[in-house]
Amino acid sequence: MIKFFRKIRQKMLTENKFSKYLLYAIGEIVLVVIGILIALSINNWNNNNIRAKEEGSLLKDMIIDLNQNIVVTNNVLNIHNNLLIKNISLRKALLTKTSDKDSLSNLIRSLNGSATPTFSASTYKTLSQTGLNIIQSDTLRKLILRYYEVHLPYVNEKSNLDPKNQFQFLLKPYFNKYFKIELDSNDSIKRTTNNSVEMFNDNKFLNELHITILNRKRLIQHLEKGKEKAQGRIKEIDDYLARGNK
């Protein structure tokens, strides 16, 4: 093809058709430029297509992580909600000063009961290493960044200050004072009530129990809020992918 154009140029020069040669040369340059632009456009399209596929794959993996965080949160919430019911029942028993020993032994075990969530952030860590700019939407990128850098660490922090830790500082002295652990014939732990009359009249114990209940309620609220944030990110990512950013 190059030889063909070269022969045409040479023929024009030998025939002294300089003006036609000049027009031809300009046209040839234009064709070359157009060819280069087309090649660059194809290359950019391929690169954008590869990036979009990688972005879509990472976002879909992130949805899996977020759904896993919701499952974990629900499990922990179930545990704390059940423990909260028992904590409140114990408080009622102290306020009314009426409860049998077996019930008290069962309720007292709820004081140091706990559960701490372990959240997944593996896809976000991958994104952080490869570059968050792969997410083309500035809005979605900021929402994801805020969830993993602000909301999730906050819930983690509050979860690590759960009522089990409060029990160690607030209620354990009363636990040792009013309850004792024995072993039955099968060497299984059996908790029994000790000094129950004094316990029912101990306002300090009741006050500390109030604080423990309040802390557990706050933890439940934090977990619920964290779950809402995860659900929100899932919806936003789904909407983004549905618009064709796959």
Side-chain angles (χ1 to χ4, degrees), residues 36-51:
I36 293 173
L37 291 175
I38 292 173
L40 288 174
S41 297
I42 293 173
N43 184 60
N44 287 337
W45 182 85
N46 286 333
N47 288 337
N48 290 336
N49 192 40
I50 292 171
R51 176 173 175 171

Side-chain angles (χ1 to χ4, degrees), residues 73-89:
T73 302
N74 283 333
N75 291 336
V76 174
L77 278 170
N78 286 336
I79 293 172
H80 280 292
N81 279 317
N82 289 330
L83 289 171
L84 179 62
I85 292 172
K86 293 181 179 180
N87 292 163
I88 293 173
S89 295

Side-chain angles (χ1 to χ4, degrees), residues 4-199:
F4 174 74
F5 286 121
R6 187 181 296 128
K7 286 181 180 181
I8 295 175
R9 289 197 304 270
Q10 288 175 351
K11 184 178 180 182
M12 287 180 177
L13 287 172
T14 55
E15 292 177 359
N16 201 22
K17 297 179 180 179
F18 182 75
S19 59
K20 289 184 178 181
Y21 170 79
L22 185 60
L23 290 173
Y24 173 81
I26 293 173
E28 189 176 344
I29 293 171
V30 171
L31 288 175
V32 171
V33 171
I34 292 173
I36 293 173
L37 291 175
I38 292 173
L40 288 174
S41 297
I42 293 173
N43 184 60
N44 287 337
W45 182 85
N46 286 333
N47 288 337
N48 290 336
N49 192 40
I50 292 171
R51 176 173 175 171
K53 287 182 178 179
E54 185 179 357
E55 176 197 33
S57 177
L58 286 169
L59 288 176
K60 288 174 184 177
D61 288 343
M62 183 170 287
I63 288 176
I64 295 173
D65 287 351
L66 290 168
N67 276 317
Q68 179 61 30
N69 288 347
I70 291 173
V71 170
V72 169
T73 302
N74 283 333
N75 291 336
V76 174
L77 278 170
N78 286 336
I79 293 172
H80 280 292
N81 279 317
N82 289 330
L83 289 171
L84 179 62
I85 292 172
K86 293 181 179 180
N87 292 163
I88 293 173
S89 295
L90 176 60
R91 180 175 64 180
K92 182 179 179 181
L94 293 177
L95 288 170
T96 59
K97 298 180 174 56
T98 55
S99 182
D100 58 76
K101 291 184 178 181
D102 291 334
S103 295
L104 281 175
S105 298
N106 180 43
L107 294 176
I108 198 67
R109 283 181 292 180
S110 68
L111 294 177
N112 65 335
S114 185
T116 303
T118 301
F119 297 115
S120 175
S122 57
T123 303
Y124 178 73
K125 290 178 181 178
T126 300
L127 271 171
S128 299
Q129 293 171 356
T130 58
L132 287 170
N133 286 332
I134 195 172
I135 301 175
Q136 299 179 50
S137 168
D138 291 338
T139 302
L140 182 60
R141 190 188 316 118
K142 290 176 182 177
L143 288 171
I144 290 173
L145 185 68
R146 184 166 181 78
Y147 172 77
Y148 282 101
E149 295 295 338
V150 178
H151 297 305
L152 205 58
Y154 181 77
V155 175
N156 264 325
E157 178 186 358
K158 295 302 179 182
S159 298
N160 289 327
L161 296 174
D162 65 15
K164 183 175 183 179
N165 292 323
Q166 295 295 323
F167 168 79
Q168 297 297 328
F169 295 104
L170 299 178
L171 296 176
K172 194 172 183 178
Y174 299 97
F175 182 89
N176 292 332
K177 182 177 181 180
Y178 297 126
F179 295 88
K180 60 182 179 180
I181 296 175
E182 298 176 344
L183 296 178
D184 59 19
S185 57
N186 297 319
D187 288 335
S188 297
I189 292 177
K190 179 182 178 181
R191 292 176 176 84
T192 58
T193 308
N194 185 31
N195 298 325
S196 58
V197 175
E198 184 181 351
M199 179 188 70

